[in-house]
Amino acid sequence: MDMLAIRKRLEGEKSRLEGVLDAAGRGLGGEEGVRPDQLPAEQAADTLNRELDTSVELRVRSELAAVEAALDRLDAGRYGLCEVCGGEIAEARLEAMPAARFCVADQARAEKDARLRGAH
């Protein structure tokens, strides 16, 4: 693996995500709350839009944290190693998801466990 290319890709993704958060912050700075002259449907639409903005922001923050953690693993010499079994993460997986923390088998187990916990 070309660690320099990986670092550049992760840093590029970090910059992109920070830009998204910055732009979202500027967009969210507008009117907050209910205006007295709004119709109920407009109020509902505004509320839904704020909730969607918050949801997107949370997802972007989560992705940014994953990228920053991948950069930390790169600095520590642990990039490309599964956090569960310690084995190597396939290069094709890292190419598709540079911030991957788990090998395919452990990722599948983690997703299955999450689905089972969510079912209760």
Side-chain angles (χ1 to χ4, degrees), residues 7-8 18-19 21-22 27-28 30-31 33 40 45 50 55 59 64 66 70 80 83-84 95 99 102 106 119-120:
R7 177 175 299 284
K8 287 179 108 171
E18 289 172 338
L21 284 176
D22 185 48
L28 294 175
E31 298 176 25
R50 279 193 304 275
S55 175
R59 180 170 179 186
L64 180 58
E83 292 183 9
V84 175
E95 183 66 31
F102 308 119
D106 286 321
H120 293 121

Side-chain angles (χ1 to χ4, degrees), residues 44-110:
D46 285 350
T47 299
L48 177 62
N49 286 334
R50 279 193 304 275
E51 289 173 3
L52 289 173
D53 288 344
T54 300
S55 175
V56 169
E57 181 183 354
L58 290 173
R59 180 170 179 186
V60 171
R61 286 190 187 284
S62 175
E63 290 177 30
L64 180 58
V67 168
E68 289 172 339
L71 285 166
D72 289 345
R73 289 191 302 278
L74 192 62
D75 290 340
R78 292 180 284 120
Y79 182 81
L81 299 177
C82 177
E83 292 183 9
V84 175
C85 70
E88 288 190 17
I89 299 172
E91 200 164 328
R93 177 167 170 72
L94 291 171
E95 183 66 31
M97 299 179 61
R101 298 172 46 210
F102 308 119
C103 65
V104 172
D106 286 321
Q107 181 68 47
R109 277 190 283 278

